[in-house]
Amino acid sequence: MQNQSLSPVFVGRDAESGVLAAALGEVSAPEADGPRALVLAGEAGVGKTRLVEEFARAARRAGALVAVGGCVEMGGDGLPFAPFAAALRALRAALPEEFARAGAGMGADLARLLPETTAPPTGTGPADVPGPSSDPHSAEDSARLFGHVTRLLEELAAARPLVLVLEDLHWADASTRHLYAHLLRTLRAGRLLLLATYRSDDLHRRHPLRPLLAELDRLRAVRRIDLARLGHADVRRQLAGILGAEPEAALVDEIYGRSEGNAFFVEELAVSLRAGHRPGLSENLRELLLVRVEALPPDAGRVLRLVAEGGSAVEHPLLAAVSQVPEEALLDALRAATGAHLLSPTPEGDGYRFRHSLVREAVSDDLLPGERAALNRRYAETVEAAPHLVRAEELDARLAGYWYAAREPAKALPASLRAAANARARHAYAEQLHHLGRALELRDQVPEPEAGTPAPLDLLAEAVTAGRLCGEAGRAYTLVGRALRLLEHEPDPLRAAWFWTRRSQLATALGRSDGGAELRSAEELVRGLPPSETHAEVLAHLAGWSMVNKPGADSLVAAERAVAYARMVGAVDIELSARVTRGVLRVGAGDIEGGLAELYEVKERALALATPDHIARSHANLPSVLEGIGRSAEAARVAVEGAEVCARHGLVGSAAFTWSNAAESLLSLGRHAEAEEALRRADQPGAGAVVRGLVGLTRGLLALRTGDTASAREEYETLRDPAASEGRAPQRRLPLLSLGIRLATEARDVAAGRALVDEALRESFPADAHRHAWPVLLAAARLEATTRGLPAAAAGRDAALGRLAAVARRMPTPVALWRAHAAWLRAELLRARGEDTVTDWEEVSTAFDALERPYERGCVRLHLAESLLAAGERDRAARTLTTVQEAARALGYRPLAREAAELARRGRLLPAAETPAEPAAPPAETLGLTARESEVLRLVAAGHSNRRIAEALYISPKTASVHVSRIIAKLGVTGRGEAAAVAHRLRLFPEREEVEDTARR
C-alpha cells in the first residue's frame, strides 16, 4: 500500500521505531545469531506505512539493504506471491551479480516468482530443468520453491543486513501466506530482518490470515507490534507539520476529538479545513468512510443509522425498544455491522459503539434533517417512558441531547440544566460547560421557560466558572465578553466587577495580558459601595496580581488587607485565597517557617471545604515555594499529590500547572524519567499559556543538562517569541533569561549573553523574586568565567564582573540554597579573573553537599577538581573527578560527563576517562566554527602558512585564505597570530599540546 503522507514530520512512534531499530541492530551486529521477525498490526490509516517508510530510510542510512513488497487486493483473494515477487525483483535490481550467484540452480522454480529470470531457450542446462514432479504446482514443487527462497534470502543476507518488508498481509493470497509461514519456521542464518504489516480492522472472524496469526503468536522468534492511535500531543505536532505553523489549541482539540488519533483522518480533516469544510467532512473523506456502510444489507444499514443517533454508545435494550425490529432480525443486522468492523461491543458488554467516531459522524451526516429529528424524538420518548433503559447518571444528559437533536427546545432546556447541575456535582466541569452552552443557546428559543430557570447572566457566570475550572480558558474568556456586553445595557456594578476579575484570570492564563488592567476596572466598580464578598474577592485578586508582578512589602500589605476584609464580610473561601498569597509573600520576606505553616494550613482547609479554586491555588503555590527555598523532594511530593487532587476534582488546568511544578522539582533532584512524565501530564489540552511556558522552560533546562542543546534552543526561542510571551512577571521572565544566558555560554556568544544579562538587571529584583534572581546572576558569572581568554570578551569584562558583585551584595540569603548560590557566585567571579583557589571551591562544594541539587553539585565539583589539578593535588583531583563522572553518567548529564572526561584526559589523571561515554563536540565548534574551519584553525595554531594549509587539506591557497579570514572574524581577533593565541589559551586542540609536552620532556 503506497501512501504519500501530507505531514512532513514523523510523530508519535518513538517506542515502535525503537523496537524496529533494536531488531535491525541485532541482525546487523557481527555476532548476530540469526534472522528476526516483526509483525506490525494496526487499523487502516493509523500510520503503518509511514512507520515502515521512516524505518526503511533509517535502515538504508545504516547500511542495510531494504526490499519492500506489498500484497495486492484482487477480489476475494490476493495476487499469488505478489509481495515476494516485488521484493525479490528489487533485490535482483540492487544486487544483480550476487542474486545470480545465490539463485544458481533455481531457474524454473524462481521463474514462478520472477518470470523474467527464465533463461532463453538455448539448451537444457541445470537451471532450466524442472523438478521430478510432472505437476508444476504440486506440493513437492512448492516445498522446493520455498526452500530455494529461504536459501536465496539467507545467502543475500550473509554479507550485509537485509530488511524484507511485506506490506498488507490482510490481502495476501494463500501461496504468500504459506511461503511467509515457511520462512518464519525455517530461516536460520543470515543478517535478515523480516517485517510484515496488516490491517487489524480488516480481519473478520473467518479471515484466512487469522490462523496464521495464531500460529505466529506461538513462535517465540516473532514479535508483534500493535500500532496504537496518536495521542493529543502527537496530533498537535502532526498538524503543525501539515499547516506549517503551530495550530491553535481549539483546532487541535477538535481534530483530535474527531480523528481519535488516526493519523490518516488527522491529515484528511486538515485538508477538509483547508478546503473550507469546517466543521463538516470533505466529500472525499465522507465517501471513503461510507464505503463499508453502503456494502451492508439494507436492514443492517438502517440499524447502523439508528445507532449513530443514539450517542457514543447505545445499550442493546434501548436499541431494541427504539428500533421495534424483531430480536432475531436485529441481531442479524448487528452481526453484519460488527463483522464489517463498523460497530463493536461496548467494554461493559451491554451495548454497541462505532469503532471510529468519524464513521458515526459520516453516517449521521448522511441522514436527512427530518430523519435525524424523528430518530432522536423516538429515543427521547422511549427513554422518558422507560428511564431504566439508560444509566441513572446519564439520564438527563441523554435526554438533553435527544430533545436538542429532535428540535424540541422547550424540553431540551430543562434537561440541559439538570445535566449541567449533575455534571457540576461530579466535578465534571467540561461536561457542565457543554450543557450550559447548550442551555444558553436554547434560552433564547423558549419565550416562557419553566419557573426557576436561570437568567442569561446567571448562566454565563456558571459557564465562565466551569470553563475556567476545566481548562477551557479561551471559551470562558469569550463568555465573559458576552456578559460584559449585556451588563452595558443592564448596569450592575458588583456583577460587572465579578466578571472583570474573571477576565483578569483568563487573560493571564491565555497570555493575552498580565490581568492588571482588568483588575483595576473591577476595583473602580466596587469603590464606594457597601462591603461585599465581591469587593473582598477583588482585593484578594489584586494582592495575588501584585505577588506575581510586583512582589515586595507593598504586596504583603495588600495581602494582609485582603485577608482582613474577607474576614470582615465572612467570605471564608476568599480569605483562604488571600492567605495563600500572604503565605507566599511571607516566605519571600524571610519568614520561611511562618509562611510555610500558613500555606500548609490553607491547603488542608481548602480540602476540607472542597472549594475547587482554593484547592487549586494552595496545591500550586506551596510546591513552588518549597522548590524556591531548596526543599525539592518535599516540593515534588506535594506537587504530585496536589496534581492528583486537582484531577480528582476535575480541575484540568490546575492539575497541569501543578504537574509542571512537580517536573521542575524532579529535574532539580535529577529524577529525569519522572520529570519527563510530569511534563507529559502537564502538557495537556486546556493547560493554558502559563503552563505551556513552564513546561517549555523545564524541557529546555532538561535538554541543556542532558546534552540536547538544539532542543533547548528551540524551546527557548519559542518562549522568547513575543506571540508566546506571558508578560513581564519576574517569575516568568527571569528563568527564561537565565536559560538564554546559559545557551549563549554554550555557544561562547559573549555579546548575546551580556545583552540578556543587561535585560535581566535593567530593573532591580523584587524581594519575592530572589529565588529566580540567583540563577540569573550565576549564569551571568559563568558566562564571564567560561569565556575568559576570548578577545571578544575582554572589553567590558571588569565592568560586568563589578556589576554582578554589586547586585549580589544586595541579595538576601535566608536559606541554605541561596547561601550556596552566593558562595558559587563569588567563586565564579574569581574564576572569571583567574583568581579562584581550592579553598573557594571547597566552600561551594561543602554548601551544595547538604542540598538536593545533583547537577549543581557536579558542576561545582568539576571546578574543584580543576582547581586541585592547578594546585598540583592530583590524587584529590582524580578522586573528585571520579565522583563527578560517575554521578553525571548515572543521571544522564552528558555534557558534564564529557567535561569531566576531558579534564581528566588533559591532566592524565583517569585512564578510564580518556574515552568519554560518547564523543564530545569538537571544542572549536562551540565558537561557531565549521568542521573545516576547525581544521584550518588547528593548522594556524601550529604556525602553518596559507600555502601549507592548502597542501595539508587539499584545497587552494585562495580557499585557505578565505577560511582564515572567516575564522578571524568569528573569533573577534585582528589577525592569525591572535587566532592562534586564542586556540592555545582555550586549549581547543589539547592532543597537539600533549604531543608538544611529550617532545619537550
Side-chain angles (χ1 to χ4, degrees), residues 412-424:
L413 176 58
S416 296
L417 293 172
R418 292 194 303 272
N422 290 338
R424 181 181 181 181

Side-chain angles (χ1 to χ4, degrees), residues 820 823-827 839-849 860:
W824 191 1
L825 179 65
R826 286 192 297 271
T839 303
D840 298 319
W841 289 110
E842 283 177 334
E843 179 189 352
V844 186
S845 182
T846 300
F848 274 99
D849 283 346
V860 167

Side-chain angles (χ1 to χ4, degrees), residues 173-251:
D173 63 290
S175 299
T176 294
R177 295 193 298 272
H178 293 159
L179 176 52
Y180 174 61
H182 176 86
L183 290 174
L184 295 176
R185 288 192 298 268
T186 60
L187 280 167
R188 293 291 179 270
R191 299 158 71 182
L192 176 66
L193 176 59
L194 190 60
L195 173 61
T197 72
Y198 71 90
R199 285 185 188 171
S200 53
D201 55 336
D202 268 18
L203 303 189
H204 51 76
R205 289 183 182 176
R206 296 182 179 83
H207 196 287
L209 187 61
R210 282 192 178 276
L212 174 58
L213 294 176
E215 181 181 350
L216 298 186
D217 287 338
R218 293 191 293 270
L219 295 176
R220 286 183 295 178
V222 181
R223 178 170 181 178
R224 181 165 359 185
I225 303 173
D226 291 307
L227 203 58
R229 295 171 182 174
L230 298 175
H232 186 278
D234 294 321
V235 168
R236 184 180 70 194
R237 292 173 57 205
Q238 185 184 9
L239 283 172
I242 294 171
L243 303 174
E246 188 67 23
E248 295 179 0
L251 175 62

Side-chain angles (χ1 to χ4, degrees), residues 913-981:
E914 290 184 2
T915 304
E918 39 183 90
E925 290 189 8
T926 64
L927 299 173
L929 303 181
T930 66
R932 174 61 86 185
E933 288 167 351
S934 178
E935 292 175 335
V936 172
L937 179 57
R938 183 190 302 271
L939 296 173
V940 168
H944 293 308
S945 66
N946 286 351
R947 181 171 297 281
R948 181 68 188 87
I949 293 170
E951 292 171 355
L953 299 180
Y954 302 100
I955 58 178
S956 70
K958 183 177 180 181
T959 301
S961 175
V962 170
H963 283 310
V964 171
S965 298
R966 288 176 177 167
I967 291 167
I968 290 170
K970 288 183 178 182
L971 295 183
V973 295
T974 58
R976 61 195 302 136
E978 285 190 18

Side-chain angles (χ1 to χ4, degrees), residues 1 171 291 342 397 423 511 514 818 844 906 923:
M1 179 178 66
W171 287 333
V291 166
L342 293 166
D514 65 6
W818 298 4
V844 186
R906 290 203 316 263

